Amino acid sequence: MELAYYSDYAVRLVNTEEPARGKDALTSVEAVRDLFGTNKEAARRAADADVTRFRSVRARLRAVFEAADGGDETLSVNLLNSLLLEFPVSPQISGHNFRDEDGRPLWHMHLADHPSNATAGYAAIAAMGLAFHLTEYGVDRLGLCEAAPCRNAYLDTSTNRSRRYCSDRCATRANVAAYRARKRLEAGRSGNTGLAAETTQRASASGDR
């Protein structure tokens, strides 16, 4: 499993909350377990206490995205470094489930499960994955959706660093809103132009009399 894969752990956790909408999906141990995806063994270690701990890590990860989105690279890196120090990873070389045409293992880096608790394990993986993405592609590749009030986190993998929304749905919604705003502005300008022309005509008529 490539290290880039683990960056999605951070996005997945951050997006369990929509602060502007007052929504929080991280309300039970089942929700915590769902975040682990196919890693069922790690998910089974989750306990009720992990709900609060996961929320704390989520706030810190969102702060990393907010700093990056606001253009403060140093703060974003410092916040991420604090997570890496608190939740160190345990890298291993692995070849499970991947074989070449001769049946030999395709060796790759794998982040081993943390032995202490579910939160520590998830936080270590999420922070390392995000750190890999940041150093490989740049801090400006960490963003927050511009389609208010969404503000979901995303990782920009576009070739020209042009991504602004977390999903096609948000992009469409923002484009529709912008289109309607332009139409209202054009209609307002047209109305003002017509009113000005009418006023001029009336003034001219009065002068002729």
Side-chain angles (χ1 to χ4, degrees):
M1 188 179 295
E2 297 181 359
L3 291 180
Y5 166 84
Y6 292 111
S7 59
D8 186 57
Y9 274 58
V11 174
R12 202 183 308 164
L13 176 54
V14 170
N15 291 346
T16 59
E17 182 184 30
E18 297 181 73
R21 292 190 173 109
K23 294 182 178 180
D24 188 348
L26 197 57
T27 58
S28 66
V29 67
E30 288 75 18
V32 169
R33 288 170 179 157
D34 287 342
L35 288 169
F36 285 93
T38 58
N39 193 345
K40 302 302 181 183
E41 183 178 348
R44 279 194 291 269
R45 289 205 300 269
D48 290 335
D50 285 300
V51 176
T52 300
R53 290 194 289 251
F54 261 68
R55 285 177 174 176
S56 176
V57 172
R58 179 180 64 187
R60 295 170 66 182
L61 285 170
R62 175 170 282 278
V64 174
F65 278 93
E66 288 175 342
D69 189 67
D72 195 335
E73 295 190 12
T74 301
L75 177 58
S76 182
V77 170
N78 288 342
L79 291 171
L80 188 51
N81 272 337
S82 69
L83 282 165
L84 290 170
L85 288 172
E86 185 173 344
F87 303 103
V89 297
S90 302
Q92 291 181 343
I93 299 174
S94 177
H96 62 84
N97 299 331
F98 296 93
R99 302 280 174 173
D100 62 16
E101 58 184 13
D102 296 323
R104 295 175 301 186
L106 293 175
W107 301 112
H108 58 279
M109 290 301 298
H110 177 83
L111 300 184
D113 293 333
H114 201 285
S116 59
N117 60 67
T119 301
Y122 194 99
I125 291 173
M128 186 62 195
L130 196 57
F132 176 83
H133 193 95
L134 185 152
T135 54
E136 184 73 10
Y137 302 108
V139 180
D140 57 342
R141 293 287 188 155
L142 279 60
L144 293 173
C145 186
E146 292 185 13
C150 177
R151 303 301 283 168
N152 271 352
Y154 65 83
L155 297 172
D156 186 1
T157 57
S158 64
T159 56
N160 57 356
R161 301 172 183 263
S162 61
R163 186 170 178 178
R164 298 166 56 200
Y165 307 104
C166 68
S167 64
D168 290 340
R169 180 181 179 182
C170 276
T172 300
R173 183 161 55 84
N175 290 334
V176 169
Y179 172 79
R180 289 175 177 172
R182 286 195 302 271
K183 286 299 182 182
R184 286 195 297 270
L185 182 60
E186 291 171 2
R189 288 174 176 172
S190 177
N192 290 336
T193 301
L195 181 61
E198 183 179 347
T199 302
T200 301
Q201 289 176 353
R202 288 178 179 176
S204 176
S206 298
D208 292 340
R209 288 198 298 271

